[in-house]
Amino acid sequence: MAYTVSRLTDYSAAALEKAADECIAACTAEASEVRSDLDLKSFRDRWMARKNGILTQINDLWLKGAPKEAKREAGIRVNEIKSAVADIIDKAEHIRLEISTAAIQSVDISLPGIRRPIGAEHPVIKTMHEIVGVFQKLGYSVAEGPVVETDYYNFEALNFPPNHPARDTQDTLFIAGQQSKPQRERLLLRTHTSPVQIRTMEKMRPPIRIVIPGTVHRNDPPDASHSPMFHQIEGLAVDTNITFGDLKGTLDHAMKALFGSSVKTHFRPSFFPFTEPSAELYVTCFICGGSGKRGADPCRPCKQTGWIEVLGCGMVDPNVFEFVKDNGYDPKKVSGFAFGMGVDRLALLKYGVDDLQYFFQGDVRFLEQFG
Ligand code: PHE
């Protein structure tokens, strides 16, 4: 039978003590029956609820209902009961907490494991690694340089005339508050990886063969084929007797390694302040195979020309060597070639992605396809 609070008729000390003992014993017994969190809640409510809980009933019936002369004794007993019940409930709560914590810690080895998603290399980084890998096999080493550059390395030492339009804010993102410095010391976000050519030649004497992967910035609003941040890989080879033939042979080999041995290369004259002569390298479109058509449809990536421009290149301009002459780069003794390619566009073509912005939005639904 569940415990109920009865009215007291006898308020003698002995009767009060007996009633209190019975009550505490009942509470202890009920506590030992608690098996779940739900049990615990109803147990606690039954005893502690302000409205009609057992303690409230005891207060009302045994204390408020006590005759004047028994009030003191009844008060002591009721307080005793209250603190005993609070202790019992406390203990019951502790026991429940221990049981549920133990349940969390124990391992059920029959349950299926948690599958952790495996990270994927970003398509741009993957393409970058592939290109760098091709040159590493040719004996090139990898160099890097800062993204925040000085005007000196990004332009001046690369033979850009003082007022070359590339310095213009239309192309270059300048760091604010540099006006008080001389032009060559002003900071900017490098617009190409070519400044690392100079930085490397300052540190290493010839012969050198290096590739330089990295991010570059230009003041271009983002759209399907432009981004204010993109990736380049620079190449530089300097030695005695390096010729344009070496440049052509090296790049032809690299393009075949990257796009397949049937790819043809094609050099067209171009201009860069830091190379002379300069060229743009085209490869036969690896989407349409050079035909300019995909079935009956025009090939979009090569604009039906059958050729895709992949990089700028040329023989290192003697004026560039002049800036590092003291480190063994006497233009009368050494020669070299350099090239620089945009990685992102190659990754777009390679993976058939039609919008450059997908590469930079960090959307897992897009990126996980490359896992
Ligand atoms: N830096 C040039 C660009 O960003 C590319 C280039 C590199 C050209 C090296 C020639 C030699 O367009």
Side-chain angles (χ1 to χ4, degrees):
M1 262 285 276
Y3 176 79
T4 50
V5 187
S6 45
R7 238 170 243 286
L8 291 183
T9 44
D10 184 355
Y11 275 93
S12 69
L16 278 170
E17 190 180 341
K18 184 167 172 281
D21 286 352
E22 272 173 22
C23 172
I24 293 168
C27 185
T28 308
E30 285 181 28
S32 71
E33 298 295 316
V34 169
R35 294 278 176 275
S36 66
D37 289 348
L38 210 66
D39 285 354
L40 178 68
K41 184 181 179 330
S42 40
F43 169 61
R44 197 199 298 113
D45 289 348
R46 174 170 146 78
W47 286 84
M48 305 285 271
R50 259 175 215 288
K51 206 178 151 200
N52 229 21
I54 290 177
L55 291 183
T56 304
Q57 291 177 44
I58 285 176
N59 208 57
D60 290 349
L61 295 177
W62 297 0
L63 183 59
K64 286 187 190 157
K68 237 191 184 131
E69 63 282 2
K71 271 253 187 322
R72 206 181 105 85
E73 189 68 24
I76 294 169
R77 287 297 171 202
V78 168
N79 280 343
E80 227 174 68
I81 293 169
K82 280 184 184 168
S83 87
V85 166
D87 283 354
I88 293 165
I89 290 177
D90 232 39
K91 211 169 136 199
E93 278 173 347
H94 257 90
I95 292 170
R96 274 310 311 156
L97 194 71
E98 268 170 29
I99 292 171
S100 51
T101 315
I104 290 166
Q105 287 169 340
S106 65
V107 175
D108 182 348
I109 57 163
S110 69
L111 287 173
I114 299 164
R115 192 183 290 271
R116 299 196 187 280
I118 296 168
E121 213 175 20
H122 190 283
V124 172
I125 301 299
K126 201 165 165 174
T127 307
M128 220 162 184
H129 283 159
E130 269 175 40
I131 300 169
V132 167
V134 166
F135 286 96
Q136 279 180 314
K137 282 192 193 133
L138 291 175
Y140 282 64
S141 37
V142 181
E144 281 181 299
V147 175
V148 178
E149 244 324 343
T150 58
D151 184 284
Y152 176 77
Y153 287 108
N154 198 79
F155 295 122
E156 187 179 331
L158 288 167
N159 196 35
F160 281 79
N163 292 314
H164 193 279
R167 267 200 196 80
D168 210 302
T169 40
Q170 288 202 354
D171 298 304
T172 307
L173 293 162
F174 290 93
I175 306 287
Q178 304 282 303
Q179 288 81 353
S180 61
K181 291 185 185 169
Q183 185 172 41
R184 55 163 55 183
E185 286 170 31
R186 289 184 203 166
L187 297 172
L188 45 83
L189 296 180
R190 68 176 177 196
T191 57
H192 50 179
T193 40
S194 303
V196 193
Q197 289 188 31
I198 309 296
R199 288 184 173 276
T200 311
M201 289 192 283
E202 283 179 350
K203 276 189 283 200
M204 293 163 67
R205 300 178 71 85
I208 56 170
R209 282 166 180 77
I210 49 160
V211 277
I212 305 146
T215 52
V216 302
H217 293 76
R218 289 185 195 177
N219 191 12
D220 278 329
D223 64 25
S225 55
H226 293 84
S227 164
M229 185 283 299
F230 56 102
H231 299 79
Q232 283 192 339
I233 294 181
E234 190 84 8
L236 175 69
V238 184
D239 206 335
T240 47
N241 292 321
I242 297 249
T243 67
F244 202 88
D246 296 318
L247 165 63
K248 287 183 81 173
T250 304
L251 291 179
D252 184 72
H253 166 83
M255 294 305 125
K256 288 188 162 77
L258 284 171
F259 304 119
S261 54
S262 60
V263 143
K264 290 196 188 81
T265 53
H266 167 75
F267 291 79
R268 283 187 205 170
S270 184
F271 175 80
F272 300 101
F274 38 95
T275 47
E276 182 60 33
S278 304
E280 271 152 13
L281 172 62
Y282 288 74
V283 296
T284 38
C285 178
F286 36 85
I287 309 290
C288 66
S291 68
K293 287 207 169 68
R294 290 175 90 178
D297 297 330
C299 179
R300 277 212 295 155
C302 68
K303 300 193 186 89
Q304 302 182 61
T305 62
W307 294 97
I308 287 185
E309 190 204 325
V310 282
L311 55 79
C313 59
M315 301 305 290
V316 178
D317 194 299
N319 291 345
V320 171
F321 285 138
E322 287 293 337
F323 285 92
V324 285
K325 196 175 178 173
D326 292 348
N327 202 29
Y329 294 90
D330 181 345
K332 292 196 189 71
K333 293 185 183 142
V334 296
S335 58
F337 65 76
F339 58 88
M341 63 180 110
V343 181
D344 315 73
R345 209 169 55 90
L346 291 179
L348 278 185
L349 294 168
K350 188 172 155 179
Y351 293 106
V353 175
D354 56 17
D355 190 331
L356 183 59
Q357 297 309 312
Y358 285 128
F359 283 155
F360 307 127
Q361 284 162 345
D363 189 331
V364 175
R365 290 168 303 178
F366 170 75
L367 295 173
E368 69 187 359
Q369 297 175 64
F370 303 92

